[in-house]
Amino acid sequence: MNIILLGAPGAGKGTQAAYLVNKFAIPHISTGDIFRSNIKQRTEIGLIAKSYIDKGQLCPDDVTVKIVELRLANEDCKKGFLLDGFPRTVPQAEALSKITDIDYVIDIEIPFERLLHRLTGRRVCAKCGASYHVDFLNGKTTCDCGEELIHRDDDTEETVSKRINVYTQQTQPLIDYYRERGKLISVNGDQAVEAVFEEIVQKLGK
Ligand code: ADP
Ligand code: ADP
Ligand code: ZN
């Protein structure tokens, strides 16, 4: 099964991705995680990506499409994959359509007023990409995998509002793009994590 997770920053894509890859035994491909890993390793791609990510802007389409194309060519993607945070622009979606076929696009819907709290309180694992929220950590500072949790540099109040604008202008048009192609599944992201997951599984089964 080839799946895309769509949704505003903070909608819960990464959180649902962890459940989905576990259930369907497919690889989780997060372009955000790939960029952050490149930044950490100070690669050329990382250097380019950092300048955009810090400003809350999208990285250039050509660079982004290239890293996804390389990743999808891996053997482990033959049985399916879950794309999280890609595509984010119509040109990226068009490029993807030339690389592979997509079965479902899951759009996680969430009122924008929920996003600031979700993102400023988000804590992530730089090693495995797991996503947590301070509201539920009870003071814990480490990931289930043992690594220290961090607060992402771009999860600040200032950058979040920019990212929401970027989402509205460049990513939201993909909802219609995939609806017109009969791929879209919309779920309510404004409910408990488990309830969102149940809704996704139920709608995928139809
Ligand atoms: P979030 O989880 O908040 O949606 P991501 O971790 O997916 O954020 O992405 C973080 C940043 O990485 C984005 O704000 C953007 O700068 C860059 N990025 C990630 N995916 C893409 C993409 N498909 N196209 C362009 N830039 C991207
Ligand atoms: P995205 O990948 O779409 O940017 P994340 O999965 O990283 O979003 O979630 C953003 C923040 O919201 C994290 O702190 C996460 O723990 C929290 N979160 C995710 N889903 C829910 C939910 N259904 N209810 C409450 N908080 C959530
Ligand atoms: Zn971890």
Side-chain angles (χ1 to χ4, degrees), residues 152-165:
R152 273 169 48 178
D153 292 342
D154 59 340
D155 279 347
T156 58
E157 198 166 332
E158 192 198 354
T159 312
V160 166
S161 60
K162 285 188 198 149
R163 285 157 66 203
I164 294 172
N165 282 336

Side-chain angles (χ1 to χ4, degrees), residues 3-14 16-17 20 29 82-90 92-93 96 102 104-110 115 167 170-179 183-189 196 200:
I3 310 177
I4 291 172
L5 275 179
L6 202 62
K13 300 181 295 297
Q16 296 302 322
L20 286 163
I29 304 172
L82 180 70
L83 281 170
D84 163 9
F86 180 93
R88 258 175 153 99
T89 65
V90 172
Q92 287 180 14
L96 179 66
I102 295 301
Y104 303 103
V105 178
I106 301 165
D107 179 37
I108 307 179
E109 298 179 322
I110 178 104
L115 299 178
Y167 168 80
Q170 302 194 60
T171 309
Q172 216 162 294
L174 290 179
I175 298 175
D176 283 339
Y177 177 95
Y178 285 116
R179 187 185 289 117
K183 310 277 187 200
L184 196 75
I185 292 175
S186 298
V187 299
N188 173 17
V196 179
I200 293 174

Side-chain angles (χ1 to χ4, degrees), residues 13-15 17-18 28 30 32-34 36-37 40 84 122-132 143 145 147-150 152:
K13 300 181 295 297
T15 300
H28 174 202
S30 156
D33 284 350
I34 296 173
R36 280 185 290 277
S37 145
K40 220 174 149 192
D84 163 9
R122 170 159 68 182
R123 297 293 180 271
V124 297
C125 174
K127 193 174 168 197
C128 76
S131 194
Y132 298 84
C143 180
C145 81
E147 192 79 4
E148 247 346 88
L149 295 173
I150 57 159
R152 273 169 48 178

Side-chain angles (χ1 to χ4, degrees), residues 7-190:
K13 300 181 295 297
T15 300
Q16 296 302 322
Y19 283 73
L20 286 163
V21 297
N22 187 31
K23 183 171 173 74
F24 296 110
I26 50 176
H28 174 202
I29 304 172
S30 156
T31 39
D33 284 350
I34 296 173
F35 283 133
R36 280 185 290 277
S37 145
N38 273 278
I39 291 171
K40 220 174 149 192
Q41 293 166 37
R42 299 175 190 276
T43 67
E44 203 176 318
I45 287 177
L47 269 176
I48 300 171
K50 188 170 171 25
S51 62
Y52 293 92
I53 294 176
D54 284 351
K55 282 185 260 174
Q57 294 170 0
L58 294 183
C59 301
D61 284 338
D62 55 350
V63 180
T64 312
V65 168
K66 196 74 216 160
I67 61 166
V68 172
E69 189 170 13
L70 283 172
R71 181 64 188 85
L72 289 178
N74 264 34
E75 192 60 33
D76 65 340
C77 293
K78 295 247 156 46
K79 59 186 178 203
F81 52 81
L82 180 70
L83 281 170
D84 163 9
F86 180 93
R88 258 175 153 99
T89 65
V90 172
Q92 287 180 14
E94 284 167 348
L96 179 66
S97 73
K98 297 193 180 87
I99 299 170
T100 186
D101 289 329
I102 295 301
D103 300 307
Y104 303 103
V105 178
I106 301 165
D107 179 37
I108 307 179
E109 298 179 322
I110 178 104
F112 286 171
E113 59 264 29
R114 295 273 185 282
L115 299 178
L116 184 63
H117 179 75
R118 280 200 181 187
L119 292 172
T120 51
R122 170 159 68 182
R123 297 293 180 271
V124 297
C125 174
K127 193 174 168 197
C128 76
S131 194
Y132 298 84
H133 197 281
V134 286
D135 285 355
F136 305 106
L137 276 167
N138 298 316
K140 218 177 124 217
T141 59
T142 50
C143 180
D144 289 343
C145 81
E147 192 79 4
E148 247 346 88
L149 295 173
I150 57 159
H151 184 218
R152 273 169 48 178
D153 292 342
D154 59 340
D155 279 347
T156 58
E157 198 166 332
E158 192 198 354
T159 312
V160 166
S161 60
K162 285 188 198 149
R163 285 157 66 203
I164 294 172
N165 282 336
V166 165
Y167 168 80
T168 313
Q169 287 167 24
Q170 302 194 60
T171 309
Q172 216 162 294
L174 290 179
I175 298 175
D176 283 339
Y177 177 95
Y178 285 116
R179 187 185 289 117
E180 285 160 12
R181 285 159 181 78
K183 310 277 187 200
L184 196 75
I185 292 175
S186 298
V187 299
N188 173 17
D190 193 14

